Amino acid sequence: MGAAPVGLPATDIYTSLQRGVIDGLSLPWDGVPIFRVNELVKNHTNIPLYSSSVVINMNKEKYDSLPPDLQKVIDDNSGMVFAKKVGDMLNENDTKALQDAKNAGDTIVDIPDPLNDPAWSSLLKQGTQKYLNSVNQNGVDADAVYEQVKAASEACKV
């Protein structure tokens, strides 16, 4: 895609942009105000490039050591109900940050279906395959996992 990816902690985004160390970034919309990217960036490409996941874990032994009433509190506030609540919150934050960028007059290029967009499809498929090939070299069937993830993603669409 013409970019040279650079890995860095999200907390370094602001100063890296400010100093010209990076020219752009890939970040969910809710991260734009969190990391103050909105202060430096006024041009955005709105593309569904990846999905975020949030996992909250608890040590099973610790959970098992809790009395039943405390286990019930955890059980009543976790699982799919909690996942939906967190997902809704993240979606609201993304929607608000995107709207804030629009309200600020930022330039936003929307690419809602990049895998079927002639300007993006080939590049994204090549990049995906390059990554899968690098994982396959480690003895993992990344192509099979990728196909399972795509099928799970389709099954989850509402």
Side-chain angles (χ1 to χ4, degrees):
M1 297 171 69
V6 177
L8 64 130
T11 53
D12 290 346
I13 291 171
Y14 188 93
T15 55
S16 294
L17 278 170
Q18 192 177 45
R19 294 179 180 155
V21 174
I22 60 174
D23 296 316
L25 61 138
S26 178
L27 193 67
W29 276 106
D30 70 334
V32 171
I34 290 170
F35 297 106
R36 298 178 24 224
V37 173
N38 54 326
E39 296 176 10
L40 301 173
V41 176
K42 302 302 176 195
N43 297 296
H44 310 274
T45 303
N46 189 26
I47 182 171
L49 190 58
Y50 61 90
S51 296
S52 296
S53 61
V54 177
V55 178
I56 301 173
N57 297 306
M58 181 174 189
N59 179 292
K60 181 157 176 35
E61 289 178 20
K62 185 63 180 174
Y63 174 85
D64 290 341
S65 74
L66 296 172
D69 62 324
L70 293 181
Q71 288 181 353
K72 182 171 176 12
V73 170
I74 291 171
D75 294 344
D76 289 347
N77 293 283
S78 61
M80 286 307 295
V81 171
F82 183 70
K84 177 147 178 35
K85 186 181 290 188
V86 170
D88 289 345
M89 179 192 69
L90 292 173
N91 188 50
E92 287 175 25
N93 291 345
D94 278 347
T95 301
K96 182 183 181 319
L98 173 57
Q99 188 59 53
D100 288 348
K102 288 178 180 178
N103 293 345
D106 291 2
T107 301
I108 299 170
V109 176
D110 280 305
I111 304 170
D113 190 6
L115 289 176
N116 291 307
D117 184 308
W120 288 83
S121 179
S122 177
L123 294 169
L124 290 173
K125 288 176 182 175
Q126 287 173 24
T128 299
Q129 195 56 57
K130 181 179 177 182
Y131 174 74
L132 293 174
N133 291 344
S134 73
V135 175
N136 285 331
Q137 289 177 354
N138 294 323
V140 177
D141 189 355
D143 294 291
V145 172
Y146 181 59
E147 291 304 318
Q148 291 174 351
V149 168
K150 288 193 312 186
S153 177
E154 283 299 317
C156 291
K157 289 187 176 173
V158 179

